[in-house]
Amino acid sequence: MKKLILIFLIINFTALGIGSWLMKNGPQTDWYLNLNKAPWTPPGWVFGAAWTLIMICFSIYMSYLYKQIPTTTILGLFTFQFLLNVGWNFIFFNKHLILIGLICIILLTFLIGFFLTKYYPVLKQKSLLILPYFVWLIIATSLNAYIVINN
């Protein structure tokens, strides 16, 4: 089990690193700073803290899930999640395609919601480990939607 957790930690933190690299200095650019952002937009440090907690919890969640259901379907869904997560950074911050970014983050939110509901019967209370990811995506989706509507 520890080996699986370590593998998912490495993959998930690699995703965060790639996403950060792809967005370049997105949150500090004039483009982003001049956007009309939601009044509930948290300070920058919250994003780093949130994603650290989310990826730790999600790695443990995926380890339990893959141990229970070691299928290519689980790995395929995980890979799709990886691509959507990393891709959003590039689409939103690098290319400034805020509407496509919104579509991407909505898909990611639905996918994480799918994990939460579909595999709850298998993981029971361990499903709470994916809840921070789901809640954060709902918040992030609202932030992205606000930017689409108000810019």
Side-chain angles (χ1 to χ4, degrees), residues 18-133:
I18 294 169
S20 179
W21 177 71
L22 287 175
M23 74 176 175
K24 299 191 178 179
N25 290 326
Q28 290 86 35
T29 61
D30 287 338
W31 171 79
Y32 181 74
L33 295 173
N34 291 318
L35 288 173
N36 292 319
K37 290 180 277 309
W40 59 91
T41 302
W45 67 267
V46 172
F47 291 87
W51 278 111
T52 299
L53 173 66
I54 288 164
M55 286 304 149
I56 290 169
C57 291
F58 186 52
S59 296
I60 297 167
Y61 171 87
M62 284 304 304
S63 299
Y64 281 121
L65 181 59
Y66 190 70
K67 186 175 184 212
Q68 292 291 322
I69 310 172
T71 65
T72 55
T73 300
I74 298 296
L75 292 179
L77 291 169
F78 176 77
T79 302
F80 188 42
Q81 171 277 150
F82 181 100
L83 295 171
L84 288 170
N85 191 327
V86 169
W88 181 87
N89 291 288
F90 181 73
I91 292 164
F92 185 90
F93 282 112
N94 193 309
K95 295 300 178 184
H96 307 167
L97 299 171
I98 58 176
L99 180 58
I100 295 173
L102 180 59
I103 294 166
C104 180
I105 202 165
I106 288 170
L107 288 172
L108 181 56
T109 304
F110 276 110
L111 179 57
I112 296 304
F114 176 80
F115 270 107
L116 181 62
T117 56
K118 170 75 174 172
Y119 299 111
Y120 178 80
V122 175
L123 295 181
K124 305 281 188 227
Q125 290 82 5
K126 291 179 181 101
S127 293
L128 291 175
L129 288 164
I130 202 171
L131 199 54
Y133 197 176

